[in-house]
Amino acid sequence: MWNEFKQFAVKGNVMDLAVGVIIGAAFGKIVSSLVDNIIMPIIGLIVGKGHIDFTKLAFGNIKYGLFIQNVVDFFIIAFSIFIVIKFLNRFKKKEEQEEAVVEEVPDRTEVLLAEIRDLLKEDKEILRKSETS
């Protein structure tokens, strides 16, 4: 059982997941900083205030402003990630198209084998014609 656990824990899937979580956390900090320090101040300038901050809105102990701020942050973060993923997918598609173009070019061995095949077919046809004559 211990060996099975070691194989599972060291397998590529678990390691990839761990790396993904770590990078995701770091990326989350970058996106949060982007939202807090760049996007929200720009929205504040567009709306006419220096910085939009819903967190101070409350009705007694019910802090609905904090909820509104988290919803706004979520949509901005989701949109930012969407843009990044869309950009990366576009780059990935270009790489796949370049690979497809490279794969279509036959290699020299294939060309030579095709020529040999064609010559053998011609020789067969010549032999058939000489046998029927």
Side-chain angles (χ1 to χ4, degrees), residues 52-59 61-73:
I52 297 177
D53 186 13
F54 296 107
T55 59
K56 305 228 184 322
L57 299 175
F59 184 73
N61 288 336
I62 301 172
K63 298 179 181 180
Y64 66 91
L66 189 57
F67 175 75
I68 293 171
Q69 186 69 44
N70 286 332
V71 170
V72 169
D73 288 352

Side-chain angles (χ1 to χ4, degrees), residues 33-125:
S33 177
L34 173 72
V35 170
D36 293 339
N37 302 318
I38 296 174
I39 295 175
M40 288 306 281
I42 291 172
I43 291 173
L45 289 174
I46 291 171
V47 173
K49 297 181 178 179
H51 181 73
I52 297 177
D53 186 13
F54 296 107
T55 59
K56 305 228 184 322
L57 299 175
F59 184 73
N61 288 336
I62 301 172
K63 298 179 181 180
Y64 66 91
L66 189 57
F67 175 75
I68 293 171
Q69 186 69 44
N70 286 332
V71 170
V72 169
D73 288 352
F74 168 78
F75 282 115
I76 293 171
I77 289 169
F79 184 73
S80 300
I81 291 173
F82 170 75
I83 296 297
V84 169
I85 297 298
K86 188 171 179 152
F87 173 76
L88 292 176
N89 284 341
R90 184 179 297 156
F91 183 71
K92 188 175 181 180
K93 284 180 185 178
K94 285 181 183 179
E95 285 180 353
E96 289 173 357
Q97 288 174 350
E98 289 174 2
E99 288 175 5
V101 170
V102 171
E103 290 175 6
E104 292 176 7
V105 177
D107 109 353
R108 182 163 167 73
T109 305
E110 290 177 16
V111 171
L112 290 174
L113 287 173
E115 289 176 3
I116 292 170
R117 180 197 63 212
D118 294 342
L119 289 172
L120 289 172
K121 282 183 184 178
E122 288 176 16
D123 285 347
K124 268 187 177 178
E125 290 176 13

